[in-house]
Amino acid sequence: MELVFRDLRSHVPAPGDIVLRPVDAQQQDRRDLAACVLGKGTEALVRGPGEALRLVVAANPTLDDMLAAAFAERLLAGGGLPAAAQGLARYAALQREGLHPGEVPLAESIEGVFLAQRNAHGEHLEDALVGGKFATDWRRTAQVLLAAAERGADAFKSALFGGPEFARERAFLAKDREVYRQDVLRGERWIVRLPGGPPRASALILREPRALL
């Protein structure tokens, strides 16, 4: 099934579209879309008339958005989702909140690999060529995640991306970590007092940081 990226606020579903957005208006701001698809199926999503041909994802997708797309694609193909998919959905929901879930080092984590792929392709996923390349990379990731869920792997504890097929993503993360260290060395450390906080706290000011993550 084709993956395309659009501004969902203005997108009008075309024939064949399944839009990664809850059909229930009261649910459209929820921050656990993968859990929504897992619990309610693709019937919970906005769709255009006719046979499903495309999954329409937000133009700036989160890990949660992309995992929801992977779940939807599996369901539309007639497959089921394993029980361990609940852990994946919980992981993605926490990451969407800005938290760093799990115990796995960033370079081998679900979060890290997704962020490396997302940054590698820039901001213009609505362009068919750019979006297609990102979708290809994501499908490699989704395949690993669903296979791990089939085995019952714990998304919070399992290092799933140590193989050679993800060497580029790991190298990107290692380089960006070193850039971050240089950002910190150029930064300024201050003792501060924040409203409602402790009398003394430590602050780090980074001027024009170059690290992406």
Side-chain angles (χ1 to χ4, degrees), residues 98-181:
L99 303 175
H100 299 286
E103 304 171 8
V104 181
L106 182 65
E108 297 180 16
S109 70
I110 303 169
E111 174 190 18
V113 167
F114 172 76
L115 291 173
Q117 292 176 345
R118 185 67 192 86
N119 279 279
H121 295 284
E123 301 179 356
H124 303 293
L125 298 187
E126 291 176 272
D127 179 275
L129 181 60
V130 177
K133 289 180 178 179
F134 171 67
T136 297
D137 276 349
W138 165 253
R139 288 186 192 281
R140 289 190 293 118
T141 304
Q143 185 176 15
V144 170
L145 294 179
L146 291 172
E150 294 284 0
R151 300 192 304 269
D154 186 335
F156 293 85
K157 297 181 179 180
S158 302
L160 305 174
F161 301 99
E165 64 273 28
F166 291 96
R168 180 180 293 275
E169 286 86 350
R170 294 197 306 274
F172 170 87
L173 292 165
K175 180 179 179 181
D176 199 60
R177 184 179 182 85
E178 183 56 36
V179 173
Y180 171 72
R181 287 179 176 142

Side-chain angles (χ1 to χ4, degrees), residues 2 14 20 34 41 49 69 77 90 107 114 116 124 153 160 170 180 187 194 196 207 213:
E2 184 182 9
L20 267 292
R90 178 62 176 157
F114 172 76
H124 303 293
L160 305 174
R170 294 197 306 274
Y180 171 72
L194 300 176
R207 301 193 183 280
L213 302 184

